[in-house]
Amino acid sequence: MSERIPILRIGDTLLVSVQFDLEDQMVLNLQEDLAEQIVAKSARGVIIDISALEIVDSFVGRMLATVAAISRVLDARTVVVGMRPAVAITLVELGLSLGGVDTALDLEKGLAKLRHPTSSALR
């Protein structure tokens, strides 16, 4: 059995804290687990904390965009929080736009973004 990333619930928001480098099967498990939890908990928002990640690659970037797309289809918004400057620089250098993924500097700002979406986030 492969490892699973814990998904915690805060009100109508699900919190995913990625604490280690992701492998392909873990990402597939996360996508499936998150989709099931969004429906089971009637979640309206998803926060993905990547503050523990020092390095990202195109795989992780695509994973974040895919998770956000799955959440959006299930009527939940996704905010990625805790991105380190080096991670942001790497994503830009890789040409990954993370389309449809909102970002915030930390968990508190991410929760606020879900509570008070801007007009551009409502697309």
Side-chain angles (χ1 to χ4, degrees):
M1 185 172 168
S2 63
E3 290 183 67
R4 300 272 199 202
I5 298 173
I7 301 172
L8 306 174
R9 182 179 179 186
I10 304 171
D12 64 353
T13 300
L14 299 177
L15 173 61
V16 178
S17 182
V18 180
Q19 296 295 310
F20 39 81
D21 291 335
L22 297 170
E23 297 175 5
D24 293 2
Q25 188 58 49
M26 291 175 65
V27 170
L28 295 174
N29 292 342
L30 175 61
Q31 290 173 352
E32 183 178 315
D33 294 346
L34 192 55
E36 289 176 7
Q37 289 294 308
I38 289 170
V39 172
K41 309 289 185 191
S42 298
R44 302 290 299 175
V46 174
I47 292 188
I48 301 174
D49 177 11
I50 62 168
S51 59
L53 297 182
E54 294 183 20
I55 299 172
V56 296
D57 56 15
S58 60
F59 174 73
V60 173
R62 285 193 311 273
M63 179 276 299
L64 294 173
T66 300
V67 167
I70 292 169
S71 299
R72 201 170 33 253
V73 168
L74 295 172
D75 198 25
R77 290 187 52 225
T78 299
V79 179
V80 174
V81 302
M83 188 178 302
R84 295 176 182 216
V87 170
I89 291 168
T90 301
L91 289 174
V92 170
E93 287 177 349
L94 290 172
L96 297 173
S97 66
L98 298 183
V101 179
D102 284 330
T103 59
L105 291 179
D106 55 36
L107 178 59
E108 184 177 350
K109 290 178 181 170
L111 287 169
K113 204 168 226 185
L114 287 175
R115 280 189 225 112
H116 307 290
T118 61
S119 59
S120 63
L122 296 173
R123 289 179 267 159

